[in-house]
Amino acid sequence: MKDIEIRNVTVTDIPQLFKICLKTGDNGKDATSIFNDPYILGHYYAAPYALFAAETSYVAIDDSTGLPAGYILGCTDTFLFNEQRRTYLKSLEKYVCENKDNKSESEANIKATIASDIKKTTEKKEYNSEEEEYWINEYPAHLHIDLLPVLQGCGMGHKMMQTFLNNLRNLGVKGVHLGVGGENKPACAFYEREGFSILKQVDWGFWLGMKL
């Protein structure tokens, strides 16, 4: 395993978070060719964690550049984080609604997700089903992990995952969940090795969870 620095994310990392998110945004592959807007994925999946969940989010530093080349971004309370992220996304509302220049279905979908999240109320917890309400309550934390190729294949994903999970345990969090695309076979295998199990299968992939 490379001796790579892992540290908490900071707001100054946000430009690199955007890059990592885009370079891994097509089921773990480079999504540059399918997005006109290189920042839209990062606005939803990356930047809010540096703003609202830095204490539970980490970056791994590529020693050849001194820049983050991987991250594990997560929070302890999904509902609270979603409320906080919504305040950030509201600043993008006019841009998302007016920008119809989509290069792919994936780009249209993330814009639709952002638009939908902005409209949700913060007055009560909203779930898609009783089943989802159960597992978000039982697995309240969530995470996203992405590594650029320079950090892949050397055990860095496992090291970052253990750093993140140990922090959650120290904070008394009882469970964590995540979503993974069904076409992303390497990621599915990674999460299985790390101890996650399937909570629910959906049309785009799986919701996975782990009790802590």
Side-chain angles (χ1 to χ4, degrees), residues 78-145:
T78 293
F79 180 72
L80 175 61
F81 175 80
N82 285 347
E83 288 185 321
Q84 294 170 323
R85 177 168 58 185
R86 195 172 292 117
T87 65
Y88 171 81
L89 295 177
K90 281 182 180 297
S91 68
L92 306 176
E93 184 170 13
K94 183 178 180 181
Y95 166 75
V96 171
C97 291
E98 292 183 355
N99 187 352
K100 306 298 184 182
D101 186 20
N102 300 316
K103 201 170 186 179
S104 65
E105 184 178 358
S106 295
E107 187 162 19
N109 287 344
I110 187 61
K111 289 179 183 177
T113 296
I114 291 173
S116 175
D117 276 19
I118 289 170
K119 293 178 182 177
K120 288 181 180 177
T121 177
T122 60
E123 295 179 355
K124 63 183 180 69
K125 296 185 179 182
E126 294 182 339
Y127 302 103
N128 293 325
S129 65
E130 290 183 2
E131 180 181 31
E132 182 177 304
E133 179 176 2
Y134 163 76
W135 59 255
I136 286 184
N137 287 332
E138 290 299 307
Y139 306 86
H142 76 257
L143 69 94
H144 304 281
I145 181 170

Side-chain angles (χ1 to χ4, degrees), residues 4-54:
I4 299 296
E5 177 189 1
I6 297 174
R7 61 164 172 78
N8 283 96
V9 70
T10 70
V11 292
T12 59
D13 295 320
I14 288 177
Q16 198 66 10
L17 300 185
F18 280 130
K19 177 181 177 180
I20 297 167
C21 195
L22 180 65
K23 292 289 186 179
T24 59
D26 183 14
N27 280 303
K29 301 186 294 293
D30 190 348
T32 302
S33 65
I34 61 173
F35 281 85
N36 279 323
D37 183 346
Y39 305 110
I40 194 70
L41 280 176
H43 278 309
Y44 190 79
Y45 289 111
Y49 294 87
L51 298 172
F52 305 117

Side-chain angles (χ1 to χ4, degrees), residues 10 32 34 48 58 105 116-117 137 162-163 165 171 188 196 212:
T10 70
T32 302
I34 61 173
Y58 300 89
E105 184 178 358
S116 175
D117 276 19
N137 287 332
Q162 293 308 304
T163 299
L165 294 177
L171 293 171
C188 291
F196 285 84
L212 300 173

